[in-house]
Amino acid sequence: MPRKKKARREIALAEYVSRRRELSAFMDEGSIAIVPGANPKIRNGDVQYPFRQDSDFRYLTGFDEPNAVFVLIPGREHGEALLFCRERDNEHERWHGHITGPERAMQLFGIDDAFPVSDIDDILPGLIEGRSKLYYAMGVDRDFDNQVIDWVKKISQSDHLGAESPGEFVQLDHYLHELRLFKSAAEIALMKLAADATVKGHCRIMQKTQPGMMEYELEAELIHEFSINGARYCAYPAIVGGGANACVLHYVSNNEVLADGDLVLVDAGGEYEGYACDLTRTFPVNGRFSESQARVYEVVLRAQEAAIAAVRPGNTWNDPHEAAIRELSKGLVTLGVLSGNLSDLIGEEAYLPYCMTKTGHWLGLDVHDVGDYQVNGQWRVFEEGMVTTIEPGVYFNENMMEVPSEYRGIGVRIEDDVLVTKSGNEVLTDQVPRTVDEIETLMGATSD
Ligand code: GLY
Ligand code: MN
Ligand code: MN
């Protein structure tokens, strides 16, 4: 029996239409917004990196092909949502795969008017002409910035009487990113699928890890599990750091041997339909925490628990960080790394050499997702539908001579993804063991 294609959950067309409507409502009358999609990027020679659509563009269109530009013109009589995209081309498609083309893009993506992207220089200046404001994310893509400037210049230099170029350029990001910060039910469903695949990957490696394996073997197991569960791409390069490599925050070499008696820190998440999961666990390579490792681990765990408890509507984005810092500082005293009065230590930020990061970041289409952390100089208040990571960590480098020697070379981070709900929060990645006992139990269990 032939296997049936697995159904994939996606954002419905109606939701894209309503996102565009919401963005239009933010925009001034008589304005235009231009949102370019991503272009293919060369890796080397004739090889490209896997294509990843620009998150803003994808959020507004759902269109996942390169070389496309979305244009929104609120109130335009012949349609507000416009797309420039590649034309069908049999020969190209024989080599490189399917192209949707402008006509089908209109039907499939609810676009009002679509044109070949090869005609953009001829068509777009005419659409910009007469608009008072141009919304565009200047400074992200220098080549596209120049194109926009050329189109505007073309209007000013045009010889037909009364040609008017926009009087004002406005950064689009703020409006759009405010929308992206609040996740709809459909987005949360996709984030849960990214989380499910990621949870499976982390559980798999806890069961497979053995002393003597290479860090990249764990990476391979993760990618395998993400992929077979529908998250074909990692949301960011996996960090698999054994021993002191865990203290390098963005360690991605992943090419060393995992030693008996060391911990390994694994920060890896899958991406499902563009939505990221971001998950870290730190566990013993041989399946048992040493007493010193467990002491450091428990400090981070308490900090994470306190921080997660502080994620709820009405609290500010910084409350979990403050809760984590309090527990981390207390723990650093217990471990004999810091000494003195707790409030003074917190006030002096004495923890900073060992806990260098903020406790979280927004999560969504981008792993470090968009959205302001402060509003008018005040920390943002949590509201239902926001998703943040909570990821406290302690990193004791081998050369930190003030740290008791039993702790040097230990790095621990525990990271989960937390959705703000109406009355509190939901941890999307809760199914990966987190306590010492839970981890040791799973690691003692054999895998297939
Ligand atoms: N994996 C990136 C981060 O945790 O922020
Ligand atoms: Mn993170
Ligand atoms: Mn992470």
Side-chain angles (χ1 to χ4, degrees):
M1 267 246 298
R3 277 178 69 171
K4 276 219 294 235
K5 196 170 167 178
K6 284 193 183 162
R8 279 187 79 80
R9 207 179 240 278
E10 290 176 2
I11 301 287
L13 181 56
E15 184 158 333
Y16 289 108
V17 172
S18 91
R19 290 171 180 179
R20 304 197 281 251
R21 205 169 287 136
E22 284 190 65
L23 184 61
S24 296
F26 266 128
M27 293 167 60
D28 283 354
E29 215 173 289
S31 63
I32 180 169
I34 302 178
V35 184
N39 292 323
K41 291 191 176 61
I42 298 293
R43 180 178 184 273
N44 62 293
D46 289 339
V47 183
Q48 296 178 351
Y49 284 105
F51 177 71
R52 169 56 160 80
Q53 188 55 279
D54 174 83
S55 298
D56 284 340
F57 179 92
R58 182 166 187 165
Y59 181 80
L60 290 172
T61 64
F63 190 68
D64 199 20
E65 289 180 24
N67 303 106
V69 178
F70 175 68
V71 176
L72 188 63
I73 310 179
R76 179 173 174 265
E77 201 180 324
H78 304 295
E80 301 187 341
L82 279 55
L83 185 73
F84 291 86
C85 61
R86 300 176 304 175
E87 276 188 287
R88 303 287 318 259
D89 175 341
N90 283 341
E91 191 54 21
H92 183 98
E93 288 177 56
R94 249 163 67 89
W95 284 84
H96 303 290
H98 176 72
I99 293 176
T100 302
E103 269 148 44
R104 275 167 48 84
M106 286 173 63
Q107 296 155 17
L108 295 175
F109 297 91
I111 297 291
D112 299 319
D113 225 346
F115 312 94
V117 71
S118 51
D119 292 345
I120 197 165
D121 288 336
D122 297 327
I123 298 173
L124 197 47
L127 295 170
I128 298 172
E129 186 183 332
R131 309 279 153 202
S132 53
K133 274 190 184 172
L134 195 164
Y135 292 84
Y136 169 66
M138 187 68 83
V140 178
D141 176 343
R142 205 170 273 263
D143 291 339
F144 201 84
D145 290 353
N146 288 334
Q147 254 181 293
V148 171
I149 291 164
D150 285 347
W151 293 324
V152 171
K153 264 198 216 147
K154 196 166 171 178
I155 302 165
S156 326
Q157 289 160 1
S158 119
D159 49 12
H160 71 92
L161 288 174
E164 261 186 65
S165 53
E168 216 181 319
F169 271 54
V170 185
Q171 282 296 106
L172 180 70
D173 322 27
H174 178 73
Y175 301 94
L176 187 49
H177 295 174
E178 196 60 23
L179 292 179
R180 279 179 54 190
L181 178 58
F182 294 88
K183 275 68 183 177
S184 68
E187 289 181 290
I188 291 164
L190 295 179
M191 293 186 77
K192 285 185 174 175
L193 289 170
D196 289 348
T198 304
V199 162
K200 289 192 172 111
H202 281 259
C203 289
R204 179 184 177 96
I205 59 168
M206 279 189 191
Q207 291 173 283
K208 290 209 174 262
T209 299
Q210 298 287 338
M213 284 174 78
M214 300 297 289
E215 292 166 340
Y216 58 70
E217 291 180 68
L218 269 53
E219 184 179 13
E221 297 288 352
L222 285 162
I223 292 171
H224 168 90
E225 198 68 29
F226 293 173
S227 225
I228 64 171
N229 285 288
R232 208 185 132 203
Y233 295 105
C234 289
Y236 53 91
I239 295 169
V240 183
N245 292 336
C247 298
V248 180
L249 287 184
H250 297 153
Y251 177 79
V252 285
S253 309
N254 300 354
N255 59 0
E256 295 202 22
V257 179
L258 295 169
D260 198 353
D262 276 352
L263 294 177
V264 56
L265 181 155
V266 180
D267 184 346
E271 185 180 273
Y272 192 99
E273 289 296 318
Y275 287 87
C277 179
D278 186 7
L279 175 57
T280 307
R281 287 292 184 269
T282 309
F283 54 91
V285 169
N286 64 14
R288 292 263 164 236
F289 286 87
S290 71
E291 285 187 15
S292 316
Q293 289 167 346
R295 277 196 289 273
V296 179
Y297 189 88
E298 297 281 0
V299 167
V300 181
L301 185 61
R302 275 195 294 276
Q304 204 214 20
E305 285 167 351
I308 290 175
V311 179
R312 58 171 180 269
N315 270 7
T316 72
W317 184 80
N318 206 44
D319 286 329
H321 181 64
E322 285 184 359
I325 287 304
R326 192 170 172 78
E327 289 303 322
L328 291 170
S329 299
K330 258 199 245 173
L332 290 170
V333 171
T334 314
L335 295 174
V337 176
L338 298 180
S339 60
N341 172 281
L342 184 63
S343 314
D344 293 345
L345 291 171
I346 294 171
E348 294 157 10
E349 301 185 328
Y351 53 84
L352 265 185
Y354 319 105
C355 316
M356 309 83 91
T357 66
K358 270 283 185 191
T359 300
H361 50 80
W362 301 131
L363 185 74
L365 280 170
D366 290 313
V367 64
H368 291 176
D369 207 29
V370 295
D372 291 335
Y373 291 96
Q374 295 196 339
V375 178
N376 300 325
Q378 304 292 315
W379 291 112
R380 179 141 211 163
V381 175
F382 283 124
E383 292 177 60
E384 190 182 356
M386 295 172 167
V387 182
T388 184
T389 66
I390 294 293
E391 50 178 303
V394 165
Y395 311 93
F396 295 134
N397 288 331
E398 286 167 302
N399 58 4
M400 290 176 160
M401 291 307 155
E402 75 284 15
V403 171
S405 59
E406 62 184 305
Y407 303 132
R408 280 181 224 149
I410 293 181
V412 174
R413 173 162 68 256
I414 312 172
E415 176 174 28
D416 283 280
D417 301 344
V418 185
L419 165 70
V420 184
T421 59
K422 203 187 250 335
S423 56
N425 70 59
E426 179 183 349
V427 181
L428 304 181
T429 42
D430 215 18
Q431 295 306 308
V432 191
R434 209 183 303 148
T435 66
V436 165
D437 276 354
E438 286 168 354
I439 291 174
E440 290 187 346
T441 301
L442 182 66
M443 292 191 76
T446 47
S447 71
D448 49 290

